[in-house]
Amino acid sequence: MKKEDIAEAVLKAANLATKKQAQESVEAIFDTITKALSRGEEVAIAGFGVFRVVKTAARAGVNPKTGEKIQIQASKKPKFRAGKALKEAVK
């Protein structure tokens, strides 16, 4: 399912007047989640799950092509933990 498909589903489920309104709604949700994560905040959606930022430590790695040892820098990554209701719906 792509973002366009999600907008189409929102259009039908929310009885919106135009597809543009549905697309703007979907974009607003994704933008809000992205901005919150960039500020280091956790986004919890009851029954769906939790989006959060995790910090990874610097570590040693190996270049798979050359076998050369490299240093991988510390970084921040988004992570999602599914809620109970979502897990049950998928079973």
Side-chain angles (χ1 to χ4, degrees):
M1 182 175 252
K2 297 181 183 178
K3 197 184 297 187
E4 291 177 13
D5 300 328
I6 294 171
E8 196 66 42
V10 168
L11 175 70
K12 292 175 184 172
N15 286 329
L16 296 176
T18 65
K19 188 174 182 179
K20 184 176 180 181
Q21 288 177 328
Q23 289 172 333
E24 289 171 350
S25 298
V26 171
E27 281 296 327
I29 291 168
F30 289 141
D31 287 344
T32 302
I33 292 170
T34 302
K35 287 176 185 174
L37 290 175
S38 69
R39 293 189 301 264
E41 297 175 13
E42 189 174 271
V43 179
I45 303 169
F48 186 72
V50 178
F51 295 92
R52 61 190 172 102
V53 177
V54 295
K55 295 178 184 176
T56 59
R59 62 193 188 279
V62 177
N63 181 334
K65 283 188 176 180
T66 64
E68 176 188 357
K69 293 190 179 217
I70 58 173
Q71 185 64 27
I72 301 170
Q73 296 180 355
S75 65
K76 295 180 185 177
K77 298 185 184 338
K79 193 157 190 159
F80 176 74
R81 186 176 67 229
K84 183 178 179 181
L86 179 60
K87 289 177 185 178
E88 291 297 321
V90 173
K91 282 188 178 180

